[in-house]
Amino acid sequence: MLSLFGCGGTSSIPSEGVFGSKWGTEGTGAGQFDMPNGVAVAPDGSVYVLDFQNDRIQKFTSEGVFVNKWGTDGTGAGQFDGPNGVAVAPDGNVYVTEMYNFRIQKFTSAGVFVNKWGTKGTGAGQFEGAGSVAVAPDGSVYVSDYDNDRIQKFTSAGVFVNKWGTKGTGAGQFEGAGGVAVAPDGSVYVADTQNDRIQKFLPGP
């Protein structure tokens, strides 16, 4: 246990996870799930969950109280086919990647559709399995492009900025670019799935 000493006395932080709460059952109703496979927490504590087989996003309070949900199966704006990654920006906007629609969608914190981008392919701004998504402190959006073995960077409006990575085992190469996360200093961490490693990339100029 770690101890914190302050003016108010002594408190403890557990060195291991302590159960807080749980919610959800199998189903299609509000607060129910069919293969939840991603979660993100907003700056205000709201919790967004990818409900994969139900092709939707559900929003909860930090205590698990249902707030709202959006999405149905399809290819239109606000619809999903295999929602695969979710991230919340510092301004509260929500980004969702789709495995089978090969794109990213952007929503307000209330689930109102804002923008979408991406098509199937290998070019800039295209995807072969849009995977994890992360938002940097400056609002930049990073997406792991799993089968293209690369990371792509966009502005918050979806404008392509750059990309890096090729298939392989060397530094800066990937065998299935999986999870991605951005540190407060802008460094980017990528789970290199089939190479069984993590790679760290420094922020650009």
Side-chain angles (χ1 to χ4, degrees):
M1 302 283 281
L2 299 176
S3 295
L4 297 180
F5 298 90
C7 296
T10 303
S11 61
S12 298
I13 298 177
S15 59
E16 298 180 359
V18 175
F19 175 78
S21 64
K22 58 184 174 69
W23 66 89
T25 57
E26 183 179 3
T28 60
Q32 294 184 309
F33 304 102
D34 191 352
M35 290 183 64
N37 72 332
V39 62
V41 181
D44 68 358
S46 298
V47 180
Y48 296 85
V49 182
L50 288 174
D51 195 1
F52 184 82
Q53 294 284 28
N54 284 327
D55 292 301
R56 67 186 181 185
I57 302 296
Q58 295 198 65
K59 178 181 179 180
F60 303 87
T61 69
S62 59
E63 299 303 318
V65 177
F66 175 80
V67 177
N68 72 341
K69 57 185 172 68
W70 69 89
T72 57
D73 181 40
T75 61
Q79 295 183 310
F80 302 107
D81 191 357
N84 198 37
V86 61
V88 185
D91 63 5
N93 285 318
V94 181
Y95 295 84
V96 182
T97 60
E98 294 177 74
M99 182 180 295
Y100 305 121
N101 279 333
F102 306 98
R103 67 184 182 185
I104 293 91
Q105 294 196 66
K106 178 181 179 179
F107 303 89
T108 68
S109 60
V112 177
F113 173 80
V114 176
N115 190 18
K116 59 184 173 69
W117 67 91
T119 57
K120 180 178 172 62
T122 60
Q126 295 184 308
F127 302 98
E128 288 287 352
S132 181
V133 58
V135 184
D138 68 357
S140 298
V141 180
Y142 294 85
V143 181
S144 62
D145 191 3
Y146 188 87
D147 288 328
N148 280 330
D149 298 296
R150 67 187 181 186
I151 301 296
Q152 296 199 63
K153 178 181 179 180
F154 303 88
T155 68
S156 60
V159 178
F160 174 80
V161 177
N162 69 350
K163 55 185 172 65
W164 71 89
T166 57
K167 186 177 181 64
T169 60
Q173 294 184 312
F174 303 104
E175 286 280 356
V180 61
V182 185
D185 68 357
S187 297
V188 179
Y189 296 80
V190 182
D192 191 3
T193 305
Q194 300 298 323
N195 280 329
D196 299 299
R197 66 185 183 183
I198 304 298
Q199 294 197 64
K200 177 183 178 179
F201 301 90
L202 301 178

